[in-house]
Amino acid sequence: MRIDVLTLFPEMFDGVFSSSILGKARDKGIVALNTVNFRDYANNKHNTVDDYPYGGGGGMVLKPEPIFAAVENLSVHQEEGHEPVKPRVILMCPQGTPFTQKKAEELSNEQHLVFICGHYEGYDERIRQYLVTDELSIGDYVLTGGELPAMVVIDSVVRLLPGVLGNEMSAVTDSFSTGLLEYPHYTRPAKFRDWEVPDMLLSGHHENVRKWRRKESLFRTLERRPDLLEGRDLSKEEKTWVAEWHGRKQKE
């Protein structure tokens, strides 16, 4: 996979792209991570990339010319020996579709992603209408720019690529990947202060451990994110567990 990030502050990505899981994925050649300062594509002598909004109002608006030029240049100059691939062009924006694990899984199947990180008051609307393929938001709040949201999405997508995580099952059992929150985890020591690891996890009975994890995953979802269960087709066993959970709650 190739990922290009259009930003006015490429230095913000230096540590992120060279550290931890992203750094290892880049070193292995699983993903190519690049930053592009779209100010380099400004078509005026002062290299300005923003201007006052038509109709008045506060703030500045990102101009379409440098953004279009940068994306079109990336689309043309593919890696040598590879067929040109039309990228998914992603605009990080508070008005965008909420980013989810399902979206991360979808994007992980792409060959080329381009992220646009804006600043100032917003984007010229023609960027939205005629250039981008996706508008994504990581939450109902506003940040100073799109760099941090882009980092979040990139991290979420890259970790799903084959060979990135040491244990391929880690991504499969993540919270939200199964539609439920992940079950509790424990490690050594078996007893810490007066708190003990559940006996089931020490039993060595793999099927019982698997069932315990499914049950605890369902309980945790009921407790913290019951909205995730709306419309879910529960199995007979899961319905029994839901009834058990409600019975516990009534006694508390």
Side-chain angles (χ1 to χ4, degrees), residues 172-200:
V172 176
T173 59
D174 282 337
S175 291
F176 307 111
S177 292
T178 62
L180 301 175
L181 299 184
E182 195 172 9
Y183 50 78
H185 291 277
Y186 295 89
T187 188
R188 294 180 178 83
K191 184 176 182 179
F192 172 64
R193 298 181 179 175
D194 291 327
W195 307 310
E196 298 183 358
V197 173
D199 291 337
M200 181 62 68

Side-chain angles (χ1 to χ4, degrees), residues 18-38:
S18 60
S19 304
S20 189
I21 297 297
L22 290 181
K24 292 178 181 178
R26 180 192 238 177
D27 291 342
K28 291 179 181 179
I30 297 173
V31 62
L33 300 167
N34 310 292
T35 55
V36 176
N37 190 333
F38 59 85

Side-chain angles (χ1 to χ4, degrees), residues 22-94:
L22 290 181
K24 292 178 181 178
R26 180 192 238 177
D27 291 342
K28 291 179 181 179
I30 297 173
V31 62
L33 300 167
N34 310 292
T35 55
V36 176
N37 190 333
F38 59 85
R39 192 180 296 281
D40 295 338
Y41 292 86
N43 61 353
N44 56 81
K45 64 180 181 179
H46 299 295
N47 290 331
T48 56
V49 295
D50 61 315
D51 208 334
Y52 294 103
Y54 280 120
M60 303 291 280
V61 176
L62 282 177
K63 295 163 62 66
E65 301 101 311
I67 302 293
F68 271 82
V71 172
E72 289 166 355
N73 182 66
L74 290 171
S75 300
V76 171
H77 292 88
Q78 300 288 333
E79 293 184 31
E80 187 176 349
H82 290 73
E83 289 292 326
V85 176
K86 188 175 182 180
R88 289 279 285 270
V89 182
I90 301 166
L91 192 70
M92 302 310 304
C93 174

